């Protein structure tokens, strides 16, 4: 294990790997009364080090922010390492902090070394975007086509908006545009209810052709967005599923093999406790046609990667309904483009 200092399951780690032997991990260290936003630099292919000790062996861990909120905070963040400057020393790290309950904010760390122990900037790019709600979490996603061209997708829980910030410099302190993708995805009710809107973005087709998938908590549906301009100032939204289940806690994921071949995962079925994870496969740029396959067992979080090509996607997710103390992680290995008709569970230790 990278660390054992997490008091609950709200750490929500994210990973990006500029190379097979150079991965970066971000997560929330939820131990204690002041949780931390942590950046992990893996020095080899296995991120080797002493089990339970974060900085050890080839692994270097940095507390980018030592106080992101109270003990009941849920961590939300993302990491991306653009390649135009250095995909090892110029990574970007975004995270949400509730430390100041009257000014909940998204912070953007512009790293200047491999472990993000030094930074060109740590900038509050969005303020007052949540309410003081117990266990509040504002999901966010990050994509950078270049160091000075990052896209930050986030849920403004005060206004109930899904928003995209098109950064115009390397620290994201300024923006070319801030676009409301959807103005009615669900808002928090202060001190009463926390609403979450899981989201994901992929701009690999180009800066003017980003793709987005998100769970609309207001309508209990999953939507796909096909952007046709920089900053997604022009777009087409397609409903993928209108029975999105567990929408306030479950995640979504997205991987675009090409501009017309995006795939992802979401949670469907609205009855709490009986949800299933689905993989969707788009047949065109706006995902107006495609298919979805229901995978085995109800999920909680899921991720997808199709680096092997359109017919070789891999999915991973874990199932909290099997056991609350020994939660199994499922691995699906797709054998064709739509992950139909078969998929396989990997052998231990994954199951």
């Amino acid at each position: 294990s990278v660390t054992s200092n997490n008091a609950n399951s709200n750490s929500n780690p994210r990973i990006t790997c500029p190379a097979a032997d150079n991965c970066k991990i971000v997560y929330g260290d939820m131990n204690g009364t002041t949780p931390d936003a942590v950046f992990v630099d893996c020095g080899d292919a296995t991120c080797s080090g002493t089990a339970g000790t974060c900085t050890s062996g080839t692994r270097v861990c940095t507390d980018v922010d030592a106080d992101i909120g109270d003990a009941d905070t849920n961590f939300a963040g993302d990491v991306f390492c653009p390649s135009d400057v250095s995909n090892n020393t110029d990574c970007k790290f975004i995270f949400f902090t509730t430390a100041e309950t009257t000014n909940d904010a998204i912070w953007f760390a512009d790293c200047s070394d491999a472990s993000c122990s030094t930074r060109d900037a740590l900038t509050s790019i969005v303020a007052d975007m949540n309410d003081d709600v117990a266990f509040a979490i504002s999901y966010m996603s990050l994509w950078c086509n270049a160091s000075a061209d990052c896209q930050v997708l986030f849920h403004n829980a005060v206004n109930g908006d899904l928003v995209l910030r098109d950064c115009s410099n390397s620290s994201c302190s300024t923006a070319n545009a801030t676009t409301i993708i959807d103005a009615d995805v669900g808002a928090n009710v202060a001190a009463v209810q926390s609403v979450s809107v899981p989201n994901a973005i992929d701009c690999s087709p180009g800066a003017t052709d980003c793709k987005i998938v998100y769970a609309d908590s207001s309508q209990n549906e999953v939507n796909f967005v096909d952007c046709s301009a920089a900053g997604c100032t022009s777009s087409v939204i397609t409903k993928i599923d209108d029975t999105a289940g567990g929408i306030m806690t479950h995640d979504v994921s997205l991987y675009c093999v090409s501009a017309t071949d995006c795939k992802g995962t979401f949670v469907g079925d609205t009855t709490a406790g009986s949800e299933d994870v689905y993989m969707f496969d788009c047949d065109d740029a706006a995902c107006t046609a495609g298919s979805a396959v229901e995978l085995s067992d109800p999920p909680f979080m899921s991720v997808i990667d199709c680096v092997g090509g359109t017919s070789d996607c891999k999915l991973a997710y874990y199932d909290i309904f099997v056991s609350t103390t020994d939660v199994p992680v499922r691995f699906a290995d797709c054998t064709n483009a739509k992950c139909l008709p078969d998929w396989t569970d990997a052998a231990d230790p994954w199951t």
Side-chain angles (χ1 to χ4, degrees), residues 123 125 165 167-175:
T123 307
I125 60 171
R165 180 180 174 91
C167 305
S168 59
N169 61 13
S170 61
S171 66
C172 202
S173 60
T174 59

Side-chain angles (χ1 to χ4, degrees), residues 246-262:
I247 205 140
M248 294 203 311
T249 54
H250 300 310
D251 213 345
V252 298
S253 65
L254 179 65
Y255 192 102
C256 293
V257 180
S258 70
T260 58
D261 186 15
C262 292

Side-chain angles (χ1 to χ4, degrees), residues 64-123:
V64 175
D65 191 317
D67 184 7
I68 60 172
D70 298 328
D72 61 357
T73 297
N74 286 258
F75 175 79
D78 204 358
V79 60
F80 199 98
C81 300
S83 60
D84 63 314
V85 176
S86 166
N87 59 11
N88 183 44
T89 61
D90 190 39
C91 295
K92 317 295 182 180
F93 174 21
I94 59 172
F95 58 92
F96 169 62
T97 174
T98 62
E100 298 180 43
T101 56
T102 59
N103 186 26
D104 299 343
I106 294 176
W107 290 83
F108 188 102
D110 182 17
C111 305
S112 55
D113 66 7
S115 64
C116 207
S117 59
T118 60
R119 295 168 291 278
D120 292 330
L122 181 58
T123 307

